[in-house]
Amino acid sequence: MVIAAFFSQIMHGGLLFLSQGLYVVQFEQTFAWSRGAISWAFGLLRIETGLLGPIQGWMLDKYGSRPIMRMGTLLFGGGLILLGQIQELWHLFAVLTIIAMGTSLAGFLTVNTALAHWFVKKRARAMSVTSIGFAAGALLSPIVAWSITEFGWRDTAMFSGIAAIIVGIPASHVFKRRPEDIGLQPDGIEPVIGAQDSKANTPGEDTDLTVRQAVRDRSFWLISIGHGWALLVVGTIAVHLIPHLVEQNNWDVAQAALVFPGLMVAQITGQISGGIIGDLYSKRFVAAGAMIGHGLGIFLIAFDTSLPTIIAAIALHGVSWGMRGPLMMAIRADYFGRKHLGQIAGWSNTITAGGSIIGPIYAGVLYDYFGSYTFAFSTLGITTALGTLFFLLARKPPVPSVPNTG
């Protein structure tokens, strides 16, 4: 399952998330659309994630990950194929709505909910490996950029959609709902002979909160807002870094896309170290430290796009993203348990999505107003660094005084 998730996330990371900036440049050149309008369209990729979250979480808890992931893969791949056919701005909004549904159903929430059911002691490490797949998608971004240069963005989008389906459908088949369903135990749970519930002696599995209990706890809101706060930078970099470098350094898209392999190296470094540290020490402190790295990275690149500054900014942002990203689902599983995790994480996504919606749109609108990204990037950097407080104030909820009967 971890390997299947790894390759599935390569498709999402390389063919869409890290290639958004490449398409922004192409849409401007082809259609003369404003950057703000294009940013609003790409905001749909996050709006749909937020809106789908509660329903998707319920579906995951009821039906498991396999059918949800399969459906999402078909929507994601089909949407990319349709992207190559667009002619009007409203076409872009419609197609990105389909792609957004696909990336949500076959993406972060589905994959990590499945892994949370299968891992306990090494939960952060398992999710880190999956996130490395998303980071490894950076290897595809230069290929996508080259393909756009050689064959055009329309053919590239269609080829990308076909590749996503070819890889994603077999990967979805590997996913299974819960280890208990096939007579196994999650990693970290020792089988107990007798009537006792084996979960009783397992670290991190002594509390299964209902959705209502989780939402009433302050940590649900602190983690959700903190996660969304980090995505202010993550979403903005994905959409606007390439256009920023193309304009400031007079690079073409293929040259600008070469920053993404560097981002991948930094991200994987963070994921490996963050997965190990997160299983040994407090996940919230690791996440809090990563917020400073996110903020400082985008702040630096707001004022200087020389090669040393780009390297420093990408390293800070990439390592921070790598360390924090896998911990977001792991900390929810630690705090709220596995039983209702899909629904809890789904409701959390309605809050989290706000950051990845607001960041890119904010940067795009301010770019149209000021003619540069300096103000947008610098203010996002300061704001994100202050988000450390959300994770520092989070605490594991107390065990409910009334036993949970489901």
Side-chain angles (χ1 to χ4, degrees), residues 4-19 73 76-77 80 103 106 133-138 140-141 144 159-169 171:
F6 176 92
F7 284 103
S8 172
Q9 294 305 289
I10 285 179
M11 296 292 105
H12 284 242
L15 299 181
L16 179 68
F17 191 81
L18 296 175
S19 297
T73 297
F76 174 51
L80 285 173
T103 56
F134 193 87
L140 294 182
S141 294
V144 172
F159 294 152
S160 297
I162 294 168
I165 292 172
I166 289 173
V167 173
I169 292 299

Side-chain angles (χ1 to χ4, degrees), residues 48-49 51-73 75 101-102 104-107 109-111 113-114 117 175-178 181 211 329 338-347:
E48 290 291 333
T49 298
L51 294 176
L52 277 175
I55 299 173
Q56 183 180 349
W58 173 81
M59 292 168 66
L60 288 168
D61 286 340
K62 185 172 180 64
Y63 301 109
S65 298
R66 182 188 293 177
I68 311 305
M69 192 169 179
R70 186 174 296 158
M71 184 189 311
T73 297
L75 288 171
M101 294 174 64
S104 180
L105 293 176
L109 178 58
T110 297
V111 166
T113 298
H117 283 291
F175 278 74
K176 294 183 171 56
R177 188 171 181 182
R178 293 184 180 92
D181 294 342
V211 176
M329 198 67 169
R338 295 188 297 140
K339 187 173 183 180
H340 305 286
L341 180 60
Q343 294 177 73
I344 292 170
W347 281 104

Side-chain angles (χ1 to χ4, degrees), residues 16-43 45-46 83 86 89 92 96 144 148 153 235-244 246-247 253 360-361 363-364 367-368 373:
L16 179 68
F17 191 81
L18 296 175
S19 297
Q20 291 173 83
L22 303 174
Y23 287 107
V24 169
V25 174
Q26 299 305 312
F27 295 156
E28 282 186 322
Q29 293 175 352
T30 304
F31 303 109
W33 296 334
S34 75
R35 197 159 297 178
I38 298 170
S39 298
W40 274 103
F42 276 104
L45 294 173
R46 285 86 185 181
L83 183 64
I86 64 170
L89 184 59
L92 179 62
L96 287 181
V144 172
I148 287 173
W153 63 268
T236 299
I237 291 291
V239 176
H240 294 289
L241 179 59
I242 294 295
H244 183 52
V246 167
E247 291 171 356
V253 291
I361 293 174
Y367 172 86
D368 286 341
Y373 286 111

Side-chain angles (χ1 to χ4, degrees), residues 359-380:
I361 293 174
Y362 174 80
V365 170
L366 288 183
Y367 172 86
D368 286 341
Y369 184 79
F370 290 108
S372 79
Y373 286 111
T374 301
F375 183 81
F377 282 12
S378 59
T379 51
L380 283 171

Side-chain angles (χ1 to χ4, degrees), residues 55-322:
I55 299 173
Q56 183 180 349
W58 173 81
M59 292 168 66
L60 288 168
D61 286 340
K62 185 172 180 64
Y63 301 109
S65 298
R66 182 188 293 177
I68 311 305
M69 192 169 179
R70 186 174 296 158
M71 184 189 311
T73 297
L74 291 173
L75 288 171
F76 174 51
L80 285 173
I81 293 171
L82 290 174
L83 183 64
Q85 314 300 317
I86 64 170
Q87 299 291 342
E88 304 289 343
L89 184 59
W90 74 265
H91 294 171
L92 179 62
F93 277 81
V95 168
L96 287 181
T97 299
I98 296 172
I99 293 174
M101 294 174 64
T103 56
S104 180
L105 293 176
F108 177 87
L109 178 58
T110 297
V111 166
N112 285 293
T113 298
L115 294 182
H117 283 291
W118 283 81
F119 292 89
V120 177
K121 283 185 177 180
K122 296 181 180 179
R123 180 174 283 155
R125 270 170 274 193
M127 293 181 181
S128 291
V129 172
T130 299
S131 296
I132 288 172
F134 193 87
L139 295 175
L140 294 182
S141 294
I143 298 174
V144 172
W146 169 81
S147 178
I148 287 173
T149 303
E150 291 294 318
F151 305 109
W153 63 268
R154 293 186 184 277
D155 286 344
T156 299
M158 290 189 287
F159 294 152
S160 297
I162 294 168
I165 292 172
I166 289 173
V167 173
I169 292 299
S172 67
H173 185 72
V174 175
F175 278 74
K176 294 183 171 56
R177 188 171 181 182
R178 293 184 180 92
E180 293 89 347
D181 294 342
I182 56 175
L184 300 176
Q185 295 288 330
D187 168 52
I189 295 184
E190 296 294 333
V192 177
I193 299 174
Q196 267 189 320
D197 185 354
S198 62
K199 292 170 63 178
N201 300 320
T202 304
E205 295 297 310
D206 54 353
T207 304
D208 275 316
L209 271 65
T210 63
V211 176
R212 180 174 296 183
Q213 289 169 335
V215 169
R216 287 178 175 176
D217 187 85
R218 68 172 189 174
S219 291
F220 170 88
W221 296 94
L222 290 168
I223 294 167
S224 300
I225 296 172
H227 188 178
W229 219 259
L231 296 184
L232 287 169
V233 170
V234 173
T236 299
I237 291 291
V239 176
H240 294 289
L241 179 59
I242 294 295
H244 183 52
L245 295 179
V246 167
E247 291 171 356
Q248 294 299 310
N249 295 356
N250 292 317
W251 293 348
D252 60 32
V253 291
Q255 290 174 303
L258 293 175
V259 302
F260 287 126
L263 177 63
M264 178 198 71
V265 172
Q267 203 176 343
I268 290 175
T269 301
Q271 285 159 346
I272 293 172
S273 57
I276 296 171
I277 295 170
D279 282 332
L280 297 176
Y281 303 104
S282 173
K283 294 178 177 64
R284 63 190 180 92
F285 286 132
V286 178
M291 297 294 284
I292 298 174
H294 280 307
L296 186 55
I298 196 170
F299 187 85
L300 287 174
I301 212 165
F303 298 98
D304 184 15
T305 56
S306 65
L307 189 57
T309 302
I310 292 172
I311 293 172
I314 289 299
L316 283 166
H317 172 59
V319 170
S320 300
W321 187 9

